[in-house]
Amino acid sequence: MTKSTGNSDKNWYPWLNHAYRQLVELHQQGRGHHAILLHAHAGMGADALLYGLSRWLMCQNKQGIKSCGKCHGCHLMLAETHSDWHVLAPEKGKNVIGVDAVRQLSEKLYEYSQQGGAKIAWITSAESLTDAASNALLKTLEEPPQNTYFLLQCQNPINLLATLRSRCFYYFIPVPETSIGLYWLQKQLPAISSLDAQTALKLSQGAPLAAEQLLQTEKWQQRNSLCQAIEQALHKCDTLSLLPLLNRDDVQQSLHWLISLLSDAVKWRQQAQNYCINQDQQVLIHYLASGQSVETLLNTVDDWVHCRHQLLSVAGVNRELLLTEQLLNWERQFCPAQ
């Protein structure tokens, strides 16, 4: 059990305004559900939204759709020390929430409210619940204690038990319009070029916070280095030279970048350059597309997607061997005369 939310009280993002207003107004109208399943992509600031909603629910002197910021409940929420606000996340070093943690939470929720108001259980990663933990939570959701709210946050609701999903009010936060995301990004990082900002936003599926993180110097440099290395490796027909760049713990991110470049090459071949993700890598995309049929490029994309899936799903897979095999296969496709 933790109270840390990454200082969400200090952050607010303009694309959350509509969702916040909708959720609060449902409660004002007496139609607020006791359990919200909030679905949002990584980098959308979902924790800031749920923290803001928590503050409003805990406020003892609400000012319309805003919390007053002055009452005892608000002071406790600002300090993240409210005794009726329970944040459940995987323990440090673990990636699951077990049944014991849920049972302890349920016991606390059935006790009287220590501050005499609402009680909130915020589960920061609903996908982390084990099946046993989900079933234990289900019992509490079906017969919730009075004036108790459950806020479940998730990125992939399909991974949750259907029975758990059915007990919640599902709410999805869509990514903001590109213009809003770009405006916010360039305010945060004024030194970043418009082209880099567009590319980072597209690589992050439109999620501004994820794009901001990607544009941090080290990450962005890592991507640029990979792009340069891909071009050199293909010019020399030596794809194995990419192995040291890919055979790392963050291989999933590097493969995401690589697959997006190959997908852009398909778009280039189809005269759909305006839809390319990597707008800052036009030279490389053109080179990847030249001399390759659409069919060959699509096969290459499929091979890399399959490789990424194996790395994700096969327990104990030999990463170096799998990548070596795929790199050699790619070389045969790109340099058939070699």
Side-chain angles (χ1 to χ4, degrees):
M1 196 87 65
T2 176
K3 291 285 185 186
S4 174
T5 61
N7 296 321
S8 298
D9 53 303
K10 295 172 185 158
N11 300 320
W12 186 256
Y13 310 108
W15 56 88
L16 298 177
N17 289 340
H18 177 69
Y20 175 81
R21 181 180 289 274
Q22 271 199 324
L23 290 171
V24 167
E25 284 179 351
L26 283 173
H27 283 283
Q28 287 178 321
Q29 295 159 9
R31 297 189 294 124
H33 201 283
H34 72 279
I36 294 173
L37 177 62
L38 187 72
H39 175 198
H41 300 310
M44 281 295 295
D47 57 338
L49 175 62
L50 289 181
Y51 176 76
L53 183 59
S54 296
R55 279 190 58 185
W56 186 84
L57 288 168
M58 289 300 200
C59 179
Q60 295 152 341
N61 186 26
K62 298 174 177 62
Q63 309 291 305
I65 65 166
K66 293 183 178 179
S67 47
C68 72
K70 297 174 183 175
C71 69
H72 186 53
C74 281
H75 285 158
L76 291 173
M77 285 301 294
L78 284 165
E80 300 194 357
T81 56
H82 202 299
S83 53
D84 295 318
W85 182 58
H86 307 284
V87 183
L88 191 59
E91 289 179 24
K92 197 171 182 181
K94 295 185 179 180
N95 56 10
V96 297
I97 299 171
V99 66
D100 289 341
V102 171
R103 284 173 180 157
Q104 287 171 20
L105 172 67
S106 295
E107 284 174 17
K108 288 181 180 177
L109 294 175
Y110 278 107
E111 293 170 2
Y112 286 110
S113 164
Q114 293 189 34
Q115 299 299 327
K119 289 172 286 183
I120 294 175
W122 174 4
I123 299 175
T124 62
S125 172
E127 298 99 322
S128 302
L129 292 163
T130 63
D131 283 355
S134 294
N135 283 319
L137 180 64
L138 199 58
K139 292 175 185 174
T140 314
L141 283 176
E142 285 170 342
E143 296 179 19
Q146 192 174 3
N147 205 16
T148 299
Y149 300 97
F150 297 85
L151 308 176
L152 281 70
Q153 195 171 330
C154 74
Q155 292 177 24
N156 298 295
I158 195 69
N159 294 334
L160 304 181
L161 290 182
T163 45
L164 189 63
R165 294 200 306 268
S166 69
R167 297 295 187 278
C168 300
F169 173 73
Y170 171 84
Y171 194 97
F172 175 67
I173 308 178
V175 296
E177 289 180 20
T178 303
S179 58
I180 294 171
L182 282 175
Y183 178 75
W184 182 85
L185 259 184
Q186 291 181 305
K187 274 189 74 177
Q188 306 306 306
L189 304 167
I192 294 294
S193 73
S194 175
L195 206 59
D196 283 358
Q198 285 179 49
T199 300
L201 201 58
K202 288 186 176 188
L203 281 168
S204 305
Q205 286 79 50
L209 295 176
E212 182 192 23
Q213 195 174 21
L214 175 56
L215 284 165
Q216 303 303 321
T217 309
E218 190 180 339
K219 276 271 182 250
W220 199 241
Q221 184 53 50
Q222 184 185 337
R223 173 184 168 269
N224 288 342
S225 298
L226 179 66
C227 290
Q228 290 167 14
I230 289 170
E231 191 165 0
Q232 290 169 9
L234 293 175
H235 269 298
K236 296 175 183 175
C237 283
D238 178 22
T239 54
L240 273 184
S241 63
L242 297 171
L243 185 60
L245 290 175
L246 296 177
N247 189 24
R248 299 161 37 132
D249 289 341
D250 59 358
V251 62
Q252 295 298 333
Q253 183 166 58
S254 297
L255 290 186
H256 170 59
W257 295 335
L258 172 57
I259 290 165
S260 76
L261 287 163
L262 289 164
S263 300
D264 282 350
V266 175
K267 294 169 193 170
W268 188 288
R269 292 285 302 185
Q270 303 279 43
Q271 277 79 51
Q273 290 95 323
N274 289 344
Y275 295 96
C276 286
I277 290 171
N278 301 275
Q279 292 290 335
D280 63 335
Q281 295 292 334
Q282 297 287 337
V283 174
L284 174 55
I285 294 165
H286 178 251
Y287 181 64
L288 284 167
S290 62
Q292 297 280 294
S293 68
V294 171
E295 186 181 6
T296 302
L297 284 167
L298 286 171
N299 285 338
T300 305
V301 170
D302 283 346
D303 288 345
W304 278 112
V305 168
H306 180 63
C307 175
R308 182 176 63 179
H309 178 70
Q310 285 183 291
L311 288 169
L312 267 174
S313 59
V314 180
V317 67
N318 186 324
R319 185 173 68 200
E320 185 174 2
L321 189 63
L322 187 63
L323 288 168
T324 300
E325 183 182 6
Q326 178 51 36
L327 284 166
L328 289 172
N329 186 34
W330 187 23
E331 189 174 303
R332 283 191 294 271
Q333 289 173 324
F334 198 85
C335 309
Q338 296 294 312

